[in-house]
Amino acid sequence: MSNTDTSATPRVALVTGGSGGIGHAIVQRLTADGFAVAVHYAGNAQRAQDIVDEVVAGGGRAIAVGGDVADENAMAAAFDAVETELGGIDVVVNTAGIMILSPVASLDLADLDRMHRTNIRGSFVVSRLAANRLRGGGALINVSTSQTRLQHPTYAPYAASKAAVEALTLILARELRGKDITVNAIAPGPTATALFLEGKDQQTIDRLASLPPLERLGTPDDIAEVAAFLAGPARWINGQVIFPNGGIA
């Protein structure tokens, strides 16, 4: 019997980038579903601890774990801490990533290297650990972007890094045959996080909000709903890229 059917102990999720806007919403949603949650951070330890305190105050169970997602030793230590303190790992939601926008012709290759280190190497590090550490009935959920389909100018470096995440996700799902572990990616459209809104004037925000037929930006809660579905009941969805973007593409 898989751990999905176990009621004696809560399932455990590790959310990388859990102190960010989408990561925070996913932590809240999984906590509401009864998960014990590890809130991962790269630089903002206090923000992660504040989220842990929020979960605990609401009656949930949570810990904070730190580390550079591209550093295999730091992330192995983070996985160790989750297993030691929460008893194991059933779900990994890998939201950690950075976005640097630039036309290809004027791209600073140092920015490209920095972004690809976090988004590509980081996703491989986390996915490799998840492939070896997740319990049966578990789920790995990586995060891509709808920009892999939209082809908007200045997004090429970022979209290229996320296209690599999609390829990793789809192939890993097939490599884990027989382990009862699902591997999927979420590819959000424009989502109203503080990071997304920073530096954009109202005209730009309104233009992006008008793109989907639903005529609004996504919210972190919209993305968290999809993550919760893939983390829990969606056992027959595997090796897929899901596009929560209101029909933009």
Side-chain angles (χ1 to χ4, degrees), residues 69-72 115-126:
V69 289
D71 181 334
E72 63 271 33
M115 184 164 52
H116 282 197
R117 182 178 186 277
T118 296
N119 294 358
I120 298 178
R121 180 183 170 87
S123 291
F124 269 88
V125 167
V126 172

Side-chain angles (χ1 to χ4, degrees), residues 12-16 30 36-40 65 75 78-79 82 89-94 126:
V12 176
L14 166 61
V15 182
T16 73
L30 294 180
V37 181
V39 181
H40 164 270
V65 293
M75 291 311 297
F79 272 69
V82 178
I89 307 177
D90 301 291
V91 171
V92 171
V93 188
N94 187 30
V126 172

Side-chain angles (χ1 to χ4, degrees), residues 100-113 115 154 156-158:
I100 302 170
L101 304 183
S102 171
V104 173
S106 57
L107 174 64
D108 183 333
L109 294 178
D111 285 341
L112 179 71
D113 291 343
M115 184 164 52
T154 75
Y158 177 66

Side-chain angles (χ1 to χ4, degrees), residues 14 30 36 40 65 74 99 108 135 141 176 178 200 243:
L14 166 61
L30 294 180
H40 164 270
V65 293
M99 179 173 66
D108 183 333
R135 297 187 283 204
I141 303 161
L176 295 185
K200 292 182 174 69
F243 292 86

Side-chain angles (χ1 to χ4, degrees), residues 118-161:
T118 296
N119 294 358
I120 298 178
R121 180 183 170 87
S123 291
F124 269 88
V125 167
V126 172
S127 295
R128 184 175 71 159
L129 284 162
N132 286 290
R133 303 285 194 99
L134 285 173
R135 297 187 283 204
L140 167 62
I141 303 161
N142 284 319
V143 175
S144 179
T145 173
S146 288
Q147 286 296 337
T148 58
R149 303 299 188 273
L150 296 175
Q151 293 96 37
H152 287 158
T154 75
Y155 280 88
Y158 177 66
S161 73

Side-chain angles (χ1 to χ4, degrees), residues 13-18 20-33 35 37 39 51 55 91-96 141-143 186 188 220-228 231:
L14 166 61
V15 182
T16 73
I22 289 175
H24 183 195
I26 291 172
V27 168
Q28 291 176 313
R29 183 65 172 78
L30 294 180
T31 299
D33 284 349
F35 279 80
V37 181
V39 181
I51 293 171
V55 170
V91 171
V92 171
V93 188
N94 187 30
T95 77
I141 303 161
N142 284 319
V143 175
I186 301 172
D221 287 344
D222 290 325
I223 312 307
E225 191 71 24
V226 180

